[in-house]
Amino acid sequence: MALAQQALVVVTQALTTLGGAVGEGLDPGRNENTSVSVEWPAALSSPHPTNAVNDRVKALLALCGVGDEALTNVAALVAARQKSTGNNLSADELTFVLRAQGDPHVWPKAWSLSGDGLEDQEIVDRFKTWIAGFHTLGTRRCGASRTDDGATVVTFDALADLSPVPTQARAGQWITLEGTMLVPASGVQVVVLGPHAAPRTVPSSLSGNHIRATFSVDQQGEWLVQVLATISTGPRPVLESTIFVGQKPPSTFVRAKVPGEEAAVGAKDSADAMLRMMNAARASEGLGKLTRTKELDKLALEHSEEMMKTRIVGHDVGSGDPRARLDAAGLTPKIAGENVASAGSLENAHRVLWASPSHRGNLLHPRFGHAGVAVTKAPDGSFWVTELFTD
């Protein structure tokens, strides 16, 4: 979230979590292209209420949250993909399918279990254990698919809802984005990322719980629009919309390489791997390297440990927001920023940070020259990442 010009620049966070049981869940590190074919709707919007669920699905939703038609469709696609190919969806693939079902929410999580002879109660018990490990902000919405040999659930925390935003537009068209916050927020910021330009912030407002922004899509190609809101855990993305200008949306997911994702090879540890990817991404845009400092590394590590302990991705987790933590350490940079994420692999953490307009803004900020980088690994195999930037 962009705060005072000389205090904090963009401070944002990212989460990508997929899980399962007994090695049969969704692996966020898998890289297979999806065989799932989708047809995008005319607009992205939310919510998508549903009541069409059978008793076996109701048992899962009773533990999960409010039923959502888009998530139900995603869960069915995930289950069909696993059954037909044996391959799982990575986090970016899961987000693509969610967008293609017309939903603008961020950080979907998925759980899947399959096997011969699974009893309904065993499936419910295993899912109950998984879902109990997540802290919920806002309204948790869920979709589930049940088959004779297993179950799949897809869920996210809804912190805001979106009025319809077109998925296709012509070059030069003006877009009006309107939404409604579902949790208290002290401010919002809308960041857009075009096909050939750096992320930019567009004028936006928050009146009560109503979000509004207007902007022009002036280049042909794919645009990503991200709504950031400052809530109880600090600034974080709450909505994203994809707009295809002068072209049709793709019917299948194709993974494009992310600058820096191959730079982690040969790293001495996880934090070094993240720094190598960060600096390689900056080099791809002609920017200088970030230099790690012990003081910033210490602050970043303390924050990653707090996030892992609470299982909350946020900036105000533990010892306060980044500025408070810097002040307490006696550090007084002119500008600073922070990216935080949770992912099933380091490369996937880098991918989701790069794909997010606000996170990319931090990674590519020309005035940042120093960084603290920390990675902690939880018992479930998830990585909790903090990137703290200063001038």
Side-chain angles (χ1 to χ4, degrees), residues 44-125:
L44 296 183
S45 65
S46 63
H48 305 97
T50 182
N51 294 312
V53 295
N54 59 41
D55 289 341
R56 300 171 82 190
V57 168
K58 285 181 180 178
L60 295 173
L61 294 184
L63 297 170
C64 186
V66 178
D68 183 276
E69 185 70 18
L71 287 172
T72 298
N73 293 338
V74 173
L77 288 170
V78 171
R81 160 71 177 274
Q82 288 184 295
K83 186 172 183 178
S84 65
T85 69
N87 293 332
N88 300 319
L89 273 68
S90 60
D92 48 358
E93 205 171 356
L94 184 67
T95 297
F96 170 83
V97 175
L98 182 64
R99 293 289 173 273
Q101 292 302 315
D103 193 273
H105 291 99
V106 300
W107 305 353
K109 300 183 285 288
W111 174 89
S112 185
L113 180 68
S114 62
D116 295 332
L118 288 171
E119 299 290 339
D120 286 354
Q121 191 58 50
E122 181 182 4
I123 291 173
V124 169
D125 289 344

Side-chain angles (χ1 to χ4, degrees), residues 1-349:
M1 183 76 186
L3 304 179
Q5 182 68 26
Q6 295 301 319
L8 289 176
V9 188
V10 180
V11 180
T12 53
Q13 58 198 17
L15 172 67
T16 170
T17 304
L18 299 118
V22 206
E24 304 210 17
L26 303 183
D27 179 359
R30 298 288 291 271
N31 290 320
E32 297 89 345
N33 283 342
T34 181
S35 59
V36 174
S37 181
V38 295
E39 183 175 348
W40 289 64
L44 296 183
S45 65
S46 63
H48 305 97
T50 182
N51 294 312
V53 295
N54 59 41
D55 289 341
R56 300 171 82 190
V57 168
K58 285 181 180 178
L60 295 173
L61 294 184
L63 297 170
C64 186
V66 178
D68 183 276
E69 185 70 18
L71 287 172
T72 298
N73 293 338
V74 173
L77 288 170
V78 171
R81 160 71 177 274
Q82 288 184 295
K83 186 172 183 178
S84 65
T85 69
N87 293 332
N88 300 319
L89 273 68
S90 60
D92 48 358
E93 205 171 356
L94 184 67
T95 297
F96 170 83
V97 175
L98 182 64
R99 293 289 173 273
Q101 292 302 315
D103 193 273
H105 291 99
V106 300
W107 305 353
K109 300 183 285 288
W111 174 89
S112 185
L113 180 68
S114 62
D116 295 332
L118 288 171
E119 299 290 339
D120 286 354
Q121 191 58 50
E122 181 182 4
I123 291 173
V124 169
D125 289 344
R126 292 197 182 189
F127 176 69
K128 184 177 182 179
T129 299
W130 181 78
I131 199 67
F134 292 98
H135 180 86
T136 299
L137 294 171
T139 301
R140 186 160 59 196
R141 294 180 185 158
C142 306
S145 173
R146 284 285 278 111
T147 62
D148 290 338
D149 58 356
T152 298
V153 179
V154 183
T155 179
F156 55 65
D157 290 352
L159 302 170
D161 278 324
L162 183 69
S163 298
V165 171
T167 55
Q168 295 186 67
R170 65 183 185 278
Q173 182 175 334
W174 284 87
I175 305 294
T176 297
L177 180 149
E178 294 187 278
T180 303
M181 290 298 306
L182 303 177
V183 298
S186 59
V188 297
Q189 185 179 20
V190 176
V191 182
V192 300
L193 177 62
H196 305 295
R200 61 185 174 93
T201 302
V202 300
S204 58
S205 64
L206 177 65
S207 178
N209 64 351
H210 182 71
I211 306 164
R212 182 180 174 86
T214 303
F215 55 92
S216 173
V217 286
D218 54 6
Q219 300 176 37
Q220 182 170 317
E222 181 178 346
W223 288 70
L224 179 62
V225 184
Q226 186 180 73
V227 179
L228 305 173
T230 302
I231 62 170
S232 59
T233 57
R236 58 155 285 175
V238 295
L239 296 167
E240 289 182 354
S241 183
T242 307
I243 304 173
F244 297 90
V245 178
Q247 63 185 44
K248 292 183 177 180
S251 60
T252 58
F253 174 80
V254 176
R255 175 170 287 108
K257 284 191 175 182
V258 168
E261 67 178 278
E262 298 176 349
V265 177
K268 62 182 180 181
D269 55 36
S270 295
D272 183 47
M274 289 302 302
L275 181 69
R276 289 183 181 212
M277 290 187 285
M278 293 160 65
N279 279 332
R282 288 174 63 88
S284 72
E285 298 293 328
L287 297 171
K289 290 184 177 181
L290 297 164
T291 301
R292 287 175 69 184
T293 72
K294 292 182 178 179
E295 295 83 1
L296 293 177
D297 274 354
K298 180 175 183 294
L299 293 179
L301 179 59
E302 290 172 350
H303 193 66
S304 284
E305 290 175 341
E306 285 290 341
M307 291 193 300
M308 182 179 67
K309 181 174 68 177
T310 60
R311 294 192 65 84
I312 298 175
V313 178
H315 301 288
D316 292 348
V317 177
S319 302
D321 64 24
R323 175 54 66 188
R325 286 181 263 129
L326 288 165
D327 288 345
L331 303 176
T332 57
K334 292 182 179 179
I335 60 171
E338 183 177 76
N339 289 345
V340 291
S342 176
S345 70
L346 299 180
E347 291 80 6
N348 210 45

